[in-house]
Amino acid sequence: MKVAVVLFNLGGPDSLEAVRPFLFNLFRDPAIITLPAIVRYPLAALISTTRTKTAQANYAIMGGRSPLLPETEAQSAALQAELTARGMEARTFIAMNYWKPFVRDAAREVAAYAPDEIVLLPLYPQFSTTTTGSSLKAWAKAYRGPGRSRTVGCYPTAPGVIEAYADEIRKTYQAAGSPAGVRLLFSAHGLPQQVIDAGDPYEAQIRATAAAIAARLPELPDWQVCFQSRVGRLKWIGPATEDAIQEAARDGVGVLISPIAFVSEHVETLVELDHEYAELAAGLGVAPYLRARTPGVGASFISELGDAVEAALGRTGAAAHGDWRCPPGYAKCACREAAA
């Protein structure tokens, strides 16, 4: 049985020249800006134009390109090796939403591979209509090849995922000498409140991930969930990460930040957390300021992805992996959307 595993991720510009078209692709997505195309496209062009210089400066800090694709390629290779070691004839493919390799490119490659089974595996542990939902819609539109599809809708509390984050936090904490008076901040990418109010389970899943990680870290009992990358005028879910850092300053404690909505290093971790928030903390006298790495190719994370693939092959449709089940009211989760 030939298995194709499609790894979905955001994508990132591979040069400074690619920043503007990358931003345009991002903001023209109806999952990001929920306006008719006749309005959304000109607005996406305006936003991408006005934000290009600032974004280019951020990517320049990382050497002129996003590291997201190389990081995802490493995860893809590690997962393929994991599946091969389990005796599976499997090949992994990368499908990015907003930059190369695009979902449509991956769809062509998978069709040429002619698999018997396809596992759609977003590299977003927590489901959101703006990430996993958008990727799955793009895939449904692009793929016309053979193979039965199964979807891993989310895996916010899967044991290997929780272990991977906890390991990185503990490693960072111990490397700093296990200092007293440190608050653990679980920082996730934010979303407008209206997205959550419409039935998106993302915030609930983020909080479930944080609670599960914190349960494994009794040495860090002071912890809080916060949300970064807020833009625009809409009300966003909170508290904001910068507000949590300011609160830590008032309380006289240091912070250790774990980017729990991200499994790879990219601009939100390497620039926003490592530079912008680090400078904010320094100016406020917050010390120490520590930042745990993302799971990357950590053994427990890759093993859990392998478990997710095997579990998906044993069922049909879309489902959560692990023990997560969306409570009533989250009409926008992958499982309910697939069943609708």
Side-chain angles (χ1 to χ4, degrees):
M1 183 175 67
K2 291 173 65 177
V3 179
V5 180
V6 184
L7 300 176
F8 293 98
N9 214 327
L10 182 76
D14 50 15
S15 67
L16 294 181
E17 292 73 26
V19 170
R20 181 174 176 180
F22 163 76
L23 292 175
F24 176 72
N25 291 337
L26 172 66
F27 289 109
R28 73 173 176 176
D29 185 347
I32 304 299
I33 296 181
T34 56
L35 292 172
I38 194 171
V39 178
R40 188 174 68 252
Y41 275 51
L43 183 58
L46 175 62
I47 296 173
S48 60
T49 299
T50 57
R51 297 188 64 179
T52 292
K53 286 187 177 180
T54 300
Q56 284 178 332
N58 288 338
Y59 285 105
I61 294 173
M62 300 183 294
R65 59 172 296 175
S66 169
L68 188 59
L69 179 57
E71 292 246 338
T72 306
E73 288 172 337
Q75 291 169 327
S76 176
L79 178 57
Q80 185 163 318
E82 172 75 17
L83 297 175
T84 299
R86 298 185 185 207
M88 296 175 59
E89 183 182 356
R91 181 176 167 188
T92 53
F93 300 83
I94 296 173
M96 299 291 197
N97 243 17
Y98 306 123
W99 201 245
K100 307 168 187 176
F102 292 111
V103 171
R104 60 178 179 269
D105 302 323
R108 285 194 293 266
E109 291 183 5
V110 172
Y113 178 62
D116 301 302
E117 304 282 351
I118 303 169
V119 176
L120 305 179
L121 179 55
L123 289 174
Y124 308 108
Q126 303 87 10
F127 176 86
S128 174
T129 53
T130 61
T131 53
T132 297
S134 178
S135 293
L136 295 180
K137 286 180 180 179
W139 178 262
K141 182 178 179 180
Y143 190 68
R144 295 294 180 269
R148 292 174 294 181
S149 292
R150 290 85 161 83
T151 300
V152 180
C154 60
Y155 42 103
T157 54
V161 174
I162 302 306
E163 182 180 349
Y165 283 110
D167 284 348
E168 291 298 331
I169 293 167
R170 187 176 290 111
K171 188 186 308 179
T172 301
Y173 182 59
Q174 292 176 348
S178 303
V182 171
R183 179 170 297 158
L184 177 57
L185 297 182
F186 294 108
S187 184
H189 197 291
L191 283 178
Q193 184 66 49
Q194 66 183 24
V195 175
I196 303 302
D197 292 343
D200 193 305
Y202 175 78
E203 182 182 4
Q205 292 192 8
I206 286 291
R207 296 189 184 280
T209 301
I213 298 169
R216 296 198 179 200
L217 297 166
E219 63 269 42
L220 289 165
D222 182 4
W223 61 274
Q224 180 182 5
V225 175
C226 51
F227 298 90
Q228 64 185 87
S229 310
R230 179 174 54 191
V231 295
R233 299 179 181 179
L234 293 175
K235 178 184 178 182
W236 280 47
I237 54 177
T241 301
E242 55 264 40
D243 294 340
I245 294 172
Q246 291 169 354
E247 182 180 353
R250 291 192 296 269
D251 293 342
V253 296
V255 298
L256 195 170
I257 295 187
S258 173
I260 61 166
F262 309 107
V263 299
S264 309
E265 302 295 333
H266 60 306
V267 68
E268 277 88 358
T269 61
L270 297 174
V271 177
E272 193 168 2
L273 294 182
D274 289 353
H275 289 267
E276 295 173 7
Y277 290 151
E279 291 173 2
L280 171 64
L284 293 169
V286 173
Y289 178 87
L290 308 171
R291 203 271 286 182
R293 302 284 294 180
T294 53
V297 293
S300 59
F301 178 60
I302 298 301
S303 178
E304 191 65 61
L305 293 183
D307 291 347
V309 171
E310 287 195 322
L313 290 172
R315 55 170 172 72
T316 60
H321 172 63
D323 61 0
W324 175 264
R325 297 294 181 271
C326 276
Y330 293 111
K332 296 295 184 178
C333 77
C335 311
R336 289 193 170 90
E337 286 192 334

